Amino acid sequence: MQAGEELRRRHPWLRHQDAIGMSILLLSLAGMAGTAWAYIAGLIPAWLCIPVVAIFASFTHELEHDLIHWMYFRKRPFWHHLMLALAWLARPSTINPWIRRKLHFDHHKYSGTAKDIEEQGITNGRPWGIARLLMTADATLAILLRLPQASPRKRLFLVVGGLIAYFPLGWIHWGLWYSFLGFHAANAVAAAFGTEIAWSASTLAAQPWINTLMVVWIGPNLLRSFCLHFVSSNMHYFGDVEDGNVIQQTQVLNPWWLLPAQLFCFNFGSTHAIHHFVVKEPFYIRQWTAPQAHAVMREMGVRFNDFGTFRRANRWSTAPARS
């Protein structure tokens, strides 16, 4: 907190927090739109468009997170909610941010416990394997693969709650994703057997649009959300965290080999743990003051790069996780 205040004293412009947040959002949206236009115009290939759009979208995730904590336009609700809506539009793979606000506040209140629904939703606390990998990448599978082990009441909560939370942008995002997968998978299977599928004219006419949206909107968010969920679910502890013990809630996860993933979630693994201690600091200040924050956190017992969490299913205890 002291490092943040000293930073603002040295740079008074940092006190214009609302203007900074809105500027970052508009620049991010412009970057996404400009990159998409460059792809559609044939100026850049898909393999370049997807990661560049994903990087711009990662800024909007950080802004949404800050907005959930009312860090921008707290006293001007129109602009606050407009920012939330635009950040959601940039990232249609995510749940409704107004619903997420309740889940996220519970995440802080009950972090690492059975009441922490937000982190469980991105696989925190599950043993690593093929199922968790698929759930980390795909929000639909994150719900469906939890159903067999759930009680009837929990199944109802997962299905109905998921449908409500992802309406309408998530329905569009995941609908386009599975339409894309289904079309190309069916063609591949047919080709393997030496046949062709007689698609309707409307289906064939829609495919170029779907393919384009996959590159400029859907694909970038699949990449971004997978990297974020992979990093977040492994830097948070779960299952045996002492209630209210902030030291046990997170670790700093910033090894060199995670840099590709960190690129698409704005260095989340290195700086998000700071947020659990200083909740009201915007994401760009956390990045700036991370060296000072890390020094204090290391001194006070916060773990750094505890890779054992992968085999312990994110338990705080260093004993191996029980099957």
Side-chain angles (χ1 to χ4, degrees):
M1 291 175 67
Q2 182 181 357
E5 286 305 312
E6 290 175 352
L7 193 63
R8 289 179 176 86
R9 281 195 291 271
R10 293 198 307 271
H11 303 283
W13 58 272
L14 288 172
R15 298 189 179 276
H16 299 286
Q17 197 159 296
D18 292 347
I20 292 171
M22 181 63 82
S23 298
I24 294 173
L25 176 61
L26 294 178
L27 288 171
S28 299
L29 295 174
M32 294 177 70
T35 307
W37 172 83
Y39 168 74
I40 293 170
L43 300 177
I44 61 173
W47 62 261
L48 180 59
C49 179
I50 290 173
V52 171
V53 172
I55 291 172
F56 281 119
S58 71
F59 285 83
T60 67
H61 170 268
E62 294 300 313
L63 286 170
E64 182 191 273
H65 173 263
D66 288 355
L67 284 159
I68 282 172
H69 286 281
W70 295 95
M71 294 189 203
Y72 310 113
F73 295 103
R74 185 182 183 91
K75 297 181 179 179
R76 301 174 70 181
F78 172 81
W79 297 107
H80 173 88
H81 294 295
L82 177 63
M83 284 187 69
L84 264 183
L86 291 173
W88 188 23
L89 183 63
R91 300 155 31 264
S93 60
T94 62
I95 68 172
N96 180 319
W98 291 274
I99 293 176
R100 186 191 169 206
R101 175 171 277 149
K102 170 64 166 63
L103 297 177
H104 190 69
F105 286 172
D106 283 348
H107 163 62
H108 280 276
K109 188 174 182 180
Y110 306 112
S111 187
T113 71
K115 295 181 180 179
D116 186 356
I117 296 174
E118 184 179 54
E119 277 297 316
Q120 291 179 75
I122 60 170
T123 75
N124 187 229
R126 294 183 65 91
W128 264 104
I130 297 299
R132 179 167 177 176
L133 187 65
L134 292 172
M135 294 167 74
T136 303
D138 189 318
T140 304
L141 293 178
I143 294 174
L144 295 179
L145 293 180
R146 292 168 66 188
L147 296 180
Q149 294 81 32
S151 65
R153 182 178 179 181
K154 185 66 175 290
R155 289 176 191 171
L156 182 65
F157 171 79
L158 287 170
V159 174
V160 176
L163 288 172
I164 293 172
Y166 282 99
F167 179 82
L169 293 183
W171 290 21
I172 296 170
H173 177 279
W174 296 108
L176 288 170
W177 169 237
Y178 280 106
S179 296
F180 174 85
L181 282 184
F183 179 82
H184 290 286
N187 283 340
V189 171
F193 286 95
T195 63
E196 292 185 2
I197 298 177
W199 297 105
S200 68
S202 59
T203 299
L204 293 174
Q207 284 311 304
W209 292 98
I210 294 176
N211 292 342
T212 298
L213 288 172
M214 278 299 305
V215 175
V216 304
W217 197 37
I218 307 304
N221 274 294
L222 289 170
L223 173 61
R224 180 202 61 78
S225 61
F226 172 78
C227 292
L228 174 66
H229 295 170
F230 181 84
V231 172
S232 179
S233 68
N234 288 293
M235 61 151 299
H236 287 89
Y237 290 102
F238 184 86
D240 59 351
V241 174
E242 182 183 340
D243 194 19
N245 188 337
V246 187
I247 296 290
Q248 294 184 359
Q249 292 175 3
T250 59
Q251 65 162 311
V252 175
L253 191 62
N254 58 359
W256 65 267
W257 49 267
L258 263 184
L259 287 177
Q262 304 273 31
L263 179 66
F264 299 111
C265 59
F266 207 77
N267 204 26
F268 192 91
S270 183
T271 60
H272 180 71
I274 302 169
H275 170 67
H276 277 246
F277 295 92
V278 189
V279 175
K280 289 296 185 180
E281 203 74 285
F283 74 99
Y284 51 88
I285 298 291
R286 294 199 300 274
Q287 295 286 338
W288 210 333
T289 60
Q292 298 96 316
H294 285 173
V296 175
M297 292 160 70
R298 191 185 297 273
E299 180 182 350
M300 299 308 295
V302 175
R303 291 177 182 169
F304 281 66
N305 296 325
D306 171 21
F307 306 134
T309 185
F310 289 94
R311 71 173 185 275
R312 302 194 308 267
N314 309 126
R315 300 305 189 265
W316 167 260
S317 170
T318 55
R322 295 180 179 179
S323 59

